[in-house]
Amino acid sequence: MKRQKLIFLFIVFVAFACNVEQNADSSANDNLLHFALEKIGEPVSLHFWNEEYHLFLNQAENDSAGIKHFKSKNLLSWQEIPTVFGEGNNTIKSACVIRDWNNELALDDVNEPLLAFSIKNKDEKAKQQTIELSYSKDLGNTWATFDGLLNFSNPIASLNDLKVFWHEETQRWMMLLLKYDQLEIYSSIDLINWEFVNILDDEETVKKGNWTSLEFFSMETAESQQMKWCLCISTEVGSPNGGMGTQYFVGDFDGYQFYTNDDVKWMDNGTDFTAPIVLSNHLLVNKKPVCIAQVNTGQSTPTLSLPRSLSLINKYNEYFICSSPLQELEQQKNKTKLLAEQEFSGELKIEKKQELPLEIKLTFDLNNRKYLDFAEVYGLILENEKQERIIVGYHNLHRYFFISFQNEQENIVEKIDYAPCIIDQTEVEFQLIVDNATVELFALDGLISMTKNYPSNSVFNQINLFTEGGKITLREGSITQISKLVN
C-alpha cells in the first residue's frame, strides 16, 4: 500500500452494532448485529421493570406511525408488544414515556401507571403543536388517551423533542422542551400544569441546523461517586466530521438551571450515531446506565446501535462520558483466535475467510513511540473480494484516530472520519465490533468511540494489520466470532 494513498484515507472511527430482530421485518442482512426494523424511527424511552428492559420507538415517519413497544431480557434480542399508542396518527413528532410512581393522575385501579407525553403537529409545517398525554394501566400492553388538557405557562411551538423526569431534590416533575436551537425547562407538581422555569441557550453549544433530540440523565463519577447531570443534544449537522452527531455537557442541575463549565464534547466521533437514550431508572434498579442510539445507515432498513454501558470520568479537569460494548455481548461470543506478540512494519496478513459478525481486539505497545523508527500510522484493514477496504487506525504524528471506506476498483474514497486524541499511555487497545454494514471502534477505555456505516453488500473476510513510516509491536490480540441474534 502506497504512503500517499494511506495518508489520503486517514480516518477516525468506529463502530457499533446492535441486535437483529428477525420477528420484526428485518429483511436486510444475516450478519447484522443491529436491531433492524423497517422504517424504524428514533428511540424515545428505555426502562427496566419486572426483570425486563422496555424500549419505546417512534414510528412517526411512516404511514402506520405510532410509538412501538419492545421488551428484552438482555438488551440484545427484542420481542415486540403488538399494541402501540398513536397508531395510524402521523402527526406525532416525538414522545417520552415515564412511570408515574405516585399515581399523580389518580387513575383508578392502577399502581404506577405508564404515561406517554407526545408532541403532535397540528399542521404540515409544525407551526402549531400540542403535547398530548396517553396512559397505560397494564405496563404498556394497552393505551388510552387522557381526557384532560396539559396547561403550559408559555405557548408550545416549534418543538422537536421533550424529556419528562422526576427531580428528587425539588420534589417536582420536570419537562425539557427542545426547540430549533434552545432548550426550555418547565416544572409541575401534578403532571398537568406546567410552569416555565428557565431557558438554556448556551453559546458553547453547536447550533448548525436543527437540534433534533435530547437526553438528560444523572450518573455517578467513577472516581468519587459524585452525582452529575449529563445533557445530550443531537444535531442534524455540525459534528466534528461534518454530519449528524450528539454533543454533550456534564454539570449540575438544581431544578431551575443547568450549570456547566465543560466545553462541548461528542458522544461518538462518527457521523452515524444520533438520538441516544439512556436507561431512565438505572439508579432505582441498581443498573449501569445503558445507552441505545439510532444508526444513520442511509439504507432501506435503518437500525439501532449496539447497546453501550456508560461511565463518567474526570480527566484533564473536565468530565467525559466513556462508552463500552454491553457486557451481555460476552454471552454471544464463541470461537476465538489469539494473535501472538510480534513486531512488524508494512502490512501483516492476519485472517482470511472470517465469518461476520466479529469482535477484534488489538493491543499495541507504545513504549517506543518517540523513536524515529516508530510507525507514523498504524491500525488494521478489513478487505473483501470487491477490493473494498475499511481502514481503522491511529495517526501518531497528527494525534488522531481515524476510519475510512474505500473501493479501489471503482476509485471511491469516502470522507475520512477522525477523532483528535493525544495518547499518554504505554499501550493502546483497539476494540472493534464489525458486521457487514457497520463497524464500531472503542479505545482508551471507552474515551474514544466511533460508529461508521459502509456501503457494501460483500463480506469483509480479510483482516490485515498495517503501519506506515515505521514499525510497531502488537503486544496481544484476538479475533472472536459473535453469534447472530435470533429471537
Side-chain angles (χ1 to χ4, degrees), residues 30-46:
D30 279 349
N31 295 325
L32 287 175
L33 281 175
H34 296 74
F35 175 25
L37 182 66
E38 185 179 3
K39 295 183 179 180
I40 201 170
E42 294 180 355
V44 296
S45 294
L46 180 64

Side-chain angles (χ1 to χ4, degrees), residues 142-211:
T142 60
W143 292 86
T145 301
F146 185 70
D147 291 334
L149 297 177
L150 303 186
N151 301 313
F152 290 86
S153 57
N154 284 3
I156 301 300
S158 303
L159 304 181
N160 284 333
D161 199 7
L162 79 168
K163 172 76 176 185
V164 181
F165 62 96
W166 173 255
H167 188 248
E168 185 67 24
E169 287 71 20
T170 58
Q171 293 290 294
R172 298 176 72 88
W173 291 96
M174 310 301 302
M175 180 184 291
L176 306 186
L177 298 180
L178 188 71
K179 295 192 173 184
Y180 181 81
D181 62 358
Q182 67 183 29
L183 185 68
E184 294 182 352
I185 304 173
Y186 289 78
S187 70
S188 174
I189 59 174
D190 58 8
L191 291 169
I192 300 297
N193 300 289
W194 294 91
E195 179 183 356
F196 175 77
V197 173
N198 210 331
I199 188 170
L200 174 68
D201 189 20
D202 199 315
E203 291 301 321
E204 295 298 323
T205 57
V206 174
K207 296 185 177 180
K208 295 180 180 178
N210 266 330
W211 285 1

Side-chain angles (χ1 to χ4, degrees), residues 224-269:
S224 62
Q225 285 71 56
Q226 180 185 11
M227 192 66 67
K228 306 296 287 188
W229 284 86
C230 305
L231 173 63
C232 306
I233 300 175
S234 295
T235 180
E236 61 184 5
V237 294
S239 78
N241 289 298
M244 298 196 304
T246 301
Q247 55 189 315
Y248 75 86
F249 302 86
V250 180
D252 299 297
F253 180 65
D254 59 8
Y256 302 94
Q257 188 171 350
F258 176 69
Y259 304 89
T260 181
N261 295 319
D262 283 4
D263 294 330
V264 61
K265 303 180 184 70
W266 299 86
M267 287 193 73
D268 187 284
N269 284 89

Side-chain angles (χ1 to χ4, degrees), residues 91-102:
T91 62
I92 294 180
K93 177 72 174 178
S94 187
C96 179
V97 178
I98 67 168
R99 194 88 177 264
D100 184 3
W101 306 102
N102 298 320

